[in-house]
């Protein structure tokens, strides 16, 4: 069995292997997306393929939407060439349950993948066409916090960014500059409204995205590449909005044991590999089942009914409270604690650490005794329920191949945020 449109036509073989297949008309979805694009996503990696893209699938199956998502990547083009193209932009999603069972599903809601880089003029021109379309409602992002950075620690613009400022919208390469150039296309084509939705796992993500885009726009205005009208348009959140969001789902690197099981069940061409940009990726995504996405409801051109797929839409203050609850008390500080001590003690699994009575007691005291008395109460998710799921379901899941070594990266940057609020 091969993961592609042609490959899934033998539905019986897939269903006998325990894989759920999409029930909507894939070709009709692609044609509708081409004609009336509504959603572009930048950052084509695992969290997008295994969570965000999957949200659109039930909407397609229920007839609540007709079009899919256009995926784009500004950084790692190997993903498009070696994962998206050979598999018709489909993903095999593997949900790892605490009892050792797997739920498998072919996610086919991505209409196509595009390489957003100067070396790929055809793909860039297609993105320009999409951004000109009045039907476009939202542009979302999972490009990591580094993708928004325009300056170094001393506040100096990065050399590549300086070059983009000098060369202007037609010859840029940094993600923020490329996106700003695409917004310029939309402005010149009639200035239809649009929502720019960061879904990256960082504090005040919408604010970071907006600051990056506005900085680029202002620098181009100074150099007379754009006019005051463009800067005013992209600054007006009734026309170009930058909703805040909180996302939570653990999607670790593809695991060899999952790969072995899939091969045993008859799947071909799904083995993981490492791209030239050091991305660990495969045709399948393995992840935990629990997931949360809370988004500020600020969409000036409408939006897909993602609330029907479990997304919570609310106001900015509530999004901020949910993010603080997770990042400052109920998940991230506990993850960092386990990661640091796990590395020191030689653990290679978060689940194995949870069997260590001292470590599990440590994070229980940290959360219940120190964190919960000062937790930010968001009102839409009970901190007690969220924390209980983390401690009893998510972290102890022995079939989640998540390592303290992965989580321990950049710890020095994480400490002030993850522990600072409780300490204060």
């Amino acid at each position: 069995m091969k993961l592609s449109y042609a490959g899934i036509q033998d539905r019986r073989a897939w269903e006998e292997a325990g894989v759920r297949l999409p029930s909507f008309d894939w070709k009709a979805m692609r044609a509708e997306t081409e004609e009336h694009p509504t959603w572009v996503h930048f950052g084509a990696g695992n969290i997008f393929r295994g969570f965000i893209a999957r949200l659109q699938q039930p909407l397609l199956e229920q007839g609540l939407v007709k079009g899919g998502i256009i995926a784009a990547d500004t950084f790692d083009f190997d993903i498009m060439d070696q994962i998206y193209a050979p598999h018709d932009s489909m993903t095999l999603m593997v949900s790892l349950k605490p009892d050792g069972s797997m739920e498998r599903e072919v996610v086919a809601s991505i209409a196509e993948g595009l390489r957003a880089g100067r070396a790929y003029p055809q793909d860039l021109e297609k993105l320009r066409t999409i951004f000109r379309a009045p039907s476009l409602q939202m542009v979302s992002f999972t490009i990591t916090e580094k993708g928004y950075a325009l300056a170094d620690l001393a506040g100096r613009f990065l050399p590549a960014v300086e070059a983009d400022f000098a060369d202007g919208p037609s010859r840029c390469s940094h993600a923020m500059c490329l996106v700003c150039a695409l917004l310029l296309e939309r402005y010149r084509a009639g200035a239809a409204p649009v929502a720019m939705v960061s879904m990256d796992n960082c504090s005040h993500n919408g604010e970071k995205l907006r600051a990056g885009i506005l900085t680029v726009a202002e620098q181009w205005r100074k150099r007379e590449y754009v006019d005051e009208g463009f800067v005013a348009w992209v600054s007006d959140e009734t026309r170009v909005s930058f909703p805040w969001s909180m996302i939570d789902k653990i999607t670790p690197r593809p695991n060899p044991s999952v790969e072995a099981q899939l091969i045993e069940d008859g799947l071909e061409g799904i083995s993981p590999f490492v791209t030239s940009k050091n991305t660990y990726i495969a045709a399948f995504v393995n992840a935990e089942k629990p997931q949360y996405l809370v988004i500020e409801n600020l969409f000036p051109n409408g939006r897909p009914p993602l609330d029907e797929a479990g997304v919570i839409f609310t106001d900015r203050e509530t999004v901020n409270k949910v993010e603080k609850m997770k990042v400052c008390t109920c998940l991230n500080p506990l993850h960092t604690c386990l990661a640091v001590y796990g590395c020191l003690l030689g653990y290679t699994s978060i689940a194995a650490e949870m069997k260590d009575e001292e470590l599990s007691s440590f994070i229980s005291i940290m959360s219940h005794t120190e964190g919960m008395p000062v937790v930010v109460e968001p009102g839409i998710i009970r901190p007690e329920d969220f924390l209980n799921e983390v401690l009893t379901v998510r972290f102890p899941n022995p079939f989640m191949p998540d390592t303290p070594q992965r989580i321990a990266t950049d710890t020095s940057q994480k400490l002030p945020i993850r522990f600072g609020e409780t300490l204060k």
Side-chain angles (χ1 to χ4, degrees), residues 218 236 251 261 396 403 411 422:
E218 184 59 33
D236 181 357
T251 52
Q261 183 63 58
T403 69
T411 293
T422 296

Side-chain angles (χ1 to χ4, degrees), residues 139 228 257 338 390:
V139 181
E228 290 281 2
S257 64
L338 289 173
V390 166

Side-chain angles (χ1 to χ4, degrees), residues 296-412:
E296 179 185 4
N297 199 9
L298 192 61
F299 291 80
N301 200 29
R303 59 169 174 79
L306 291 168
D307 41 342
E308 297 289 336
V311 178
I312 300 172
F313 290 94
T314 184
D315 57 80
R316 181 169 294 186
E317 182 181 357
T318 303
V319 173
N320 193 37
K321 286 180 178 179
V322 173
E323 195 263 344
K324 271 191 172 181
M325 177 200 73
K326 167 186 172 280
V327 172
C328 302
T329 309
C330 293
L331 193 150
N332 295 69
L334 314 184
H335 237 175
T336 290
C337 178
L338 289 173
V340 171
Y341 287 105
C343 288
L344 291 172
L345 295 171
Y347 283 104
T348 57
S349 160
I350 293 295
E353 287 190 77
M354 290 299 290
K355 294 179 180 178
D356 184 311
E357 290 186 9
E358 290 182 325
L359 291 179
S360 60
S361 175
F362 191 168
I363 64 167
S364 179
I365 292 169
M366 179 194 297
S367 54
H368 286 109
T369 306
E370 298 177 355
M372 291 303 284
V374 294
V375 73
V376 175
E377 171 65 69
I380 59 171
I381 298 174
R382 291 186 73 245
E384 295 84 359
D385 295 341
F386 187 91
L387 176 61
N388 183 62
E389 184 180 54
V390 166
L391 294 177
T392 64
V393 177
R394 300 176 69 182
F395 284 2
N397 185 344
F399 304 100
M400 269 293 294
D402 208 8
T403 69
Q405 289 73 27
R406 180 188 75 85
I407 298 160
T409 56
D410 298 326
T411 293
S412 61

